[in-house]
Amino acid sequence: MNKIGLIALIAAVLGFIFACIPGALIVGWILLPIAFVLAIVSLFLKGRAKWMGITALIVSIVGTIVGVIVFFAVLVTSVDDAFNSGDVTVVEPSNDTAADDGAAAEEPTVEAGTRENPYPIGSVMESDDWRVVINSVSLGATDTILAAESYNEPPTEGSEYILVNYSATYLGVDPNGQMPAFVTIGYVTVDGTTVNAFDKMIFAPEPIDTTSTLYTDGIATGNTAFEVPSATAGQGVLAVTLDLFDDKVFVAVQ
């Protein structure tokens, strides 16, 4: 009997099995190379049966291929989970105003939360770690912003300042806390251009603090300002991102 071939075959079969189990991949990756080497050695033994070595060689090669496929499947799933840490759920503010005829309002034809059908101001947006609410949007806030800080310059011709007040609540359980720095808000114009708060140095009154650490249920509330085209200021939308890799949620400005 070709004992080395038998050992190689057993190691190859076990390695193949473990290579198919995501939680035991490492065991398979240890056994399969061992089986491959022993299978090669068994084929050079004179006067011994070769079939076990050949079988072990084939199983070890196939098992390695399967193991690589499983590994990448696990990797893709892990990366997807990491970059999509949690779906954003949204609760819109209640509207008790009923239609005159008592009929239910028609369902929107466009998915809610998109640029074409943004959520209303006051909607509660939640991910695994953050809750964000756009509390108010003040259009035509140029005078307010200029009066708040002498360093603020007048907006460029054809533009105006708007003021967005929002709250960010940390829902996570990290004992070290988290800063709301990755909770971002941008203004998207009618023509699809994004205006960021950092595009122009604007000192908003009562600005939100995004650099102080929040712990579970800690809340940061304050203002941020944007310079937007005056003619279509009320037609743009806010693009809200609750975390670095979350999808954007769009909120109306009025």
Side-chain angles (χ1 to χ4, degrees):
M1 177 184 291
N2 192 335
K3 293 183 179 180
I4 295 181
L6 178 60
I7 295 173
L9 181 58
I10 294 173
V13 172
L14 290 176
F16 187 102
I17 294 173
F18 283 114
C20 296
I21 304 173
L25 273 173
I26 187 64
V27 178
W29 282 31
I30 292 174
L31 291 176
L32 288 171
I34 293 175
F36 181 83
V37 173
L38 292 178
I40 295 294
V41 172
S42 70
L43 295 179
F44 287 94
L45 296 178
K46 295 181 179 180
R48 304 294 175 90
K50 308 294 184 185
W51 70 268
M52 286 187 291
I54 295 173
T55 305
L57 187 64
I58 295 173
V59 173
S60 64
I61 294 173
V62 174
T64 300
I65 295 173
V66 172
V68 170
I69 294 173
V70 174
F71 171 76
F72 278 104
V74 172
L75 181 62
V76 169
T77 301
S78 299
V79 171
D80 183 66
D81 290 343
F83 280 70
N84 298 278
S85 58
D87 293 333
V88 176
T89 59
V90 180
V91 178
E92 300 182 42
S94 61
N95 184 2
D96 296 329
T97 303
D100 292 339
D101 58 1
E106 293 184 2
E107 291 293 330
T109 56
V110 181
E111 181 184 358
T114 60
R115 281 184 61 204
E116 295 77 13
N117 184 29
Y119 288 115
I121 295 172
S123 298
V124 180
M125 297 162 280
E126 287 191 4
S127 65
D128 289 343
D129 290 335
W130 293 98
R131 177 190 298 128
V132 177
V133 180
I134 303 297
N135 300 311
S136 64
V137 178
S138 300
L139 302 175
T142 299
D143 292 341
T144 300
I145 291 175
L146 291 180
E149 177 56 62
S150 60
Y151 289 105
N152 286 330
E153 298 179 352
T156 57
E157 184 177 355
S159 299
E160 67 180 55
Y161 291 139
I162 68 171
L163 204 59
V164 178
N165 182 276
Y166 70 100
S167 299
T169 304
Y170 180 56
L171 304 177
V173 294
D174 187 342
N176 295 314
Q178 294 288 336
M179 295 184 298
F182 291 126
V183 175
T184 61
I185 297 177
Y187 175 92
V188 183
T189 64
V190 173
D191 62 5
T193 302
T194 299
V195 179
N196 298 297
F198 53 77
D199 288 345
K200 183 174 182 177
M201 183 68 72
I202 308 173
F203 297 93
E206 300 180 5
I208 188 167
D209 183 359
T210 61
T211 58
S212 294
T213 301
L214 297 177
Y215 298 89
T216 304
D217 295 330
I219 303 174
T221 298
N223 297 314
T224 188
F226 302 89
E227 183 182 72
V228 305
S230 297
T232 57
Q235 300 174 36
V237 295
L238 299 178
V240 182
T241 305
L242 274 64
D243 212 338
L244 188 60
F245 302 114
D246 285 338
D247 292 333
K248 291 180 179 177
V249 178
F250 294 92
V251 178
V253 298
Q254 61 179 0

